[in-house]
């Protein structure tokens, strides 16, 4: 099949949405499909012959790669992305448009014309839970706006892929997308890449890997770490991130833990060794409708994980990790200390987690499930072009 994949983000880039789009496109290409990714002007070099990348002619002065909506993205980059997608679609017959996340969906809908291929919407998280984390004021309003968009926009796609069963149920409950239009396809992981035996765990080192956006719950992690330090004074916190820690530094200083925190940028090649060096890996995200990519990476590294329940869909408590109630800082800290003091438990949880993702969550398995969705959509969309739901500029 010939696939137009829309990624309204830097591509490729080492965080959730770009990683899912990148690895899925690559796996589909390796399975023999002709994959064309239409994306922003930002991103690392693409080192694969299986995917063709089409970039917008974005402004060189705009190099903002952080997650979340910005006025520049919505008013400039996304219209440019829509125009680029329309040009790519005119350049040859495509079997399907695969749009990642809500901005990708909007660009796909706006770019479609008569006789357009069916559109598959890959929803990574729900806006009701995501939008409030990007707004310092009006969180209740942003939540209501997000909920309205969650109800309205997915229905314009021919099929919707949700990354978790909870997300599928919520979209179905909202009432505008039928069960037959919904599939669940989780993320994958390069298990072999994260199986590094060259690094042994250090004593009393807690590791978080990811961006420092508000939705990650870093403030909760810092407060939990302060409690850990009361029990284990030698504990250290490593933040593997390219984000700016300075906005969080006043909180760390107020808690008296700033000198025990190290923030460092680690590229994808070095990430396995950095994860394997951890005593405990932490996922402090307290609100999440999907499954964070970091959780797959953590589990593949065979190190024990502590997570809040909302973002722990892949974990099973006491079997592949330790799960605590959302926002319960004391319980989060206690779980970390428990694993620090019980190496046998830590090793057992880490080994079981790696076994799970290695067996069931390869990107090739993800691509095979996506192929099934494409086949279903192509078989079921026999409507005339005038019946294609679309938004016109």
């Amino acid at each position: 099949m010939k696939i137009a994949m829309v990624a309204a983000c830097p591509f490729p880039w080492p965080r959730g949405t770009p990683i899912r789009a990148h690895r899925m496109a690559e796996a589909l290409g390796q399975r023999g499909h002709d994959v064309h990714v239409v994306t922003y002007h930002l991103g690392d070099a693409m080192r694969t012959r299986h995917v063709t990348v089409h970039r917008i002619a974005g402004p060189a002065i705009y190099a903002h790669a952080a997650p979340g909506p910005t006025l520049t993205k919505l008013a400039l980059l996304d219209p440019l992305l829509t125009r680029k997608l329309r040009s790519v679609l005119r350049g040859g017959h495509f079997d399907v448009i695969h749009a990642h996340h809500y901005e990708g969906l909007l660009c796909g809908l706006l770019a479609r014309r008569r006789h357009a291929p069916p559109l598959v919407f890959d929803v990574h998280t729900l806006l009701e839970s995501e939008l409030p984390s990007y707004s310092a004021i009006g969180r209740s309003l942003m939540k209501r706006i997000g909920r309205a968009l969650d109800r309205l926009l997915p229905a314009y796609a021919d099929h919707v892929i949700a990354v978790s069963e909870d997300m599928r149920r919520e979209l179905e409950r909202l009432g505008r997308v039928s069960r037959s239009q919904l599939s669940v396809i989780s993320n994958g992981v390069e298990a072999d890449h994260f199986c590094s035996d060259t690094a042994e765990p250090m004593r009393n080192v807690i590791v978080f890997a990811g961006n420092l956006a508000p939705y990650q719950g870093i403030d909760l992690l810092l407060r939990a770490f302060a409690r850990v330090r009361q029990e284990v004074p030698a504990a250290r916190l490593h933040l593997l991130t390219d984000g700016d820690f300075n906005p969080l530094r006043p909180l760390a200083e107020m808690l008296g833990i700033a000198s025990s925190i190290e923030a460092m940028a680690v590229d994808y090649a070095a990430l396995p060794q950095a994860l394997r060096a951890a005593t405990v890996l932490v996922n402090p995200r307290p609100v999440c409708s999907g499954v964070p990519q970091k959780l797959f990476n953590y589990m593949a590294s065979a190190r024990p994980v502590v997570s809040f329940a909302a973002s722990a869909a892949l974990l099973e408590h006491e079997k592949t990790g330790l799960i605590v109630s959302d926002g319960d800082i004391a319980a989060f800290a206690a779980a970390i200390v428990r694993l620090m003091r019980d190496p046998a438990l830590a090793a057992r949880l880490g080994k079981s987690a790696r076994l799970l993702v290695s067996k069931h969550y390869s990107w090739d398995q993800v691509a095979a499930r996506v192929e099934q969705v494409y086949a279903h959509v192509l078989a079921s969309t026999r409507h005339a072009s005038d019946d294609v739901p679309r938004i016109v500029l």
Side-chain angles (χ1 to χ4, degrees):
M1 284 177 279
K2 191 172 183 180
I3 304 154
M5 190 169 285
V6 192
C9 58
F11 179 92
W13 202 255
R15 69 164 184 264
T17 291
I19 288 175
R20 180 172 171 88
H22 177 194
R23 298 307 179 194
M24 187 181 289
E26 192 173 53
L28 286 166
Q30 289 169 348
R31 293 176 68 87
H33 302 289
D34 186 9
V35 183
H36 294 251
V37 177
V38 187
T39 187
Y40 285 176
H41 60 299
L42 305 170
D44 297 330
M46 189 74 178
R47 299 181 180 87
T48 178
R49 60 183 177 84
H50 300 289
V51 178
T52 302
V53 179
H54 305 266
R55 297 191 184 277
I56 64 172
I61 60 172
Y62 185 85
H64 180 79
T70 67
L71 184 59
T72 303
K73 286 182 185 179
L74 297 174
L76 177 60
L77 300 192
D78 290 342
L80 288 173
L81 187 63
T82 299
R83 184 179 301 175
K84 172 62 74 171
L85 175 60
R86 190 175 297 152
S87 173
V88 170
L89 292 174
R90 283 199 302 263
H93 169 77
F94 282 84
D95 295 290
V96 66
I97 301 171
H98 189 137
H100 286 274
H101 209 23
Y102 277 91
E103 286 176 78
L105 171 64
L106 284 171
C107 292
L109 292 172
L110 290 165
R112 293 213 294 183
R113 288 296 184 259
R114 299 170 69 90
H115 308 296
L119 191 152
V120 173
F121 173 34
D122 200 315
V123 53
H124 302 185
T125 187
L126 296 178
L127 294 181
E128 181 181 5
S129 61
E130 181 183 25
L131 287 184
S133 67
Y134 296 117
S135 176
I137 58 174
R139 293 178 63 87
S140 178
L141 174 62
M142 295 303 292
K143 185 174 181 177
R144 290 197 298 272
I145 292 173
R147 185 175 182 80
L149 294 173
D150 289 334
R151 182 186 298 276
L152 173 67
L153 293 178
Y156 284 97
D158 294 290
H159 198 87
V160 178
I161 296 175
V163 300
S164 70
E165 186 62 32
D166 286 346
M167 187 183 297
R168 184 202 65 78
R169 283 195 295 265
E170 179 61 16
L171 286 171
E172 188 178 349
R173 193 186 69 78
L174 288 173
R176 286 178 51 88
V177 183
S178 67
R179 177 170 296 188
S180 64
Q181 291 177 280
L182 279 164
S183 298
V184 177
I185 303 178
S186 189
N187 279 358
V189 68
E190 301 82 23
D192 291 342
H193 178 70
F194 285 93
C195 185
S196 170
D197 294 325
T198 60
E200 291 298 322
M202 295 183 286
R203 287 181 58 83
N204 303 325
V205 173
I206 304 158
V207 170
F208 167 87
N211 67 69
L212 303 181
Y215 66 79
Q216 296 281 14
I218 306 301
D219 56 333
L220 302 177
L221 174 59
L222 296 184
R223 295 181 188 280
F225 179 58
R227 289 174 175 263
V228 171
R229 290 267 299 168
Q230 294 174 1
E231 299 290 328
V232 185
R236 295 192 59 81
L237 175 62
H238 289 180
L239 303 175
L240 310 182
T241 183
D242 59 0
D244 183 8
F245 182 67
N246 286 327
L248 291 159
R249 192 171 297 281
L251 175 60
E253 291 174 348
M254 185 269 290
L255 294 169
I257 56 174
S259 62
S260 299
I261 299 173
E262 186 175 356
M264 63 198 86
V266 176
D267 64 20
Y268 184 72
L271 184 59
Q273 187 167 349
L275 295 180
R276 294 273 293 173
T279 313
V280 182
L281 297 168
V282 289
N283 177 37
R285 187 169 174 174
V287 178
C288 181
S289 53
V291 185
Q293 181 62 42
K294 70 167 59 61
L295 193 57
F296 290 88
N297 298 344
Y298 284 1
M299 296 171 73
S301 72
R303 289 293 181 255
V305 180
V306 174
S307 177
F308 282 132
S311 53
L314 211 61
L315 294 175
E316 187 175 356
H317 186 55
E318 299 281 357
K319 292 188 177 180
T320 54
L322 296 183
I323 303 173
V324 301
S325 299
D326 296 325
D328 190 336
I329 295 170
F332 201 88
I336 293 171
V337 171
R338 180 184 173 192
L339 290 172
M340 284 180 164
R341 291 175 173 173
D342 192 342
L345 173 63
R348 176 174 64 79
L349 295 179
K351 182 179 180 180
S352 296
R354 175 171 170 78
L355 181 63
L356 175 68
V357 295
S358 298
K359 187 175 181 180
H360 297 292
Y361 293 96
S362 73
W363 282 111
D364 185 67
Q365 289 170 310
V366 169
R369 296 179 189 120
V370 172
E371 284 177 341
Q372 293 174 352
V373 168
Y374 292 166
H376 169 75
V377 170
L378 290 170
S380 60
T381 53
R382 297 290 184 256
H383 50 289
S385 60
D386 284 344
D387 295 328
V388 177
R390 61 188 183 274
I391 300 174
V392 180
L393 284 171

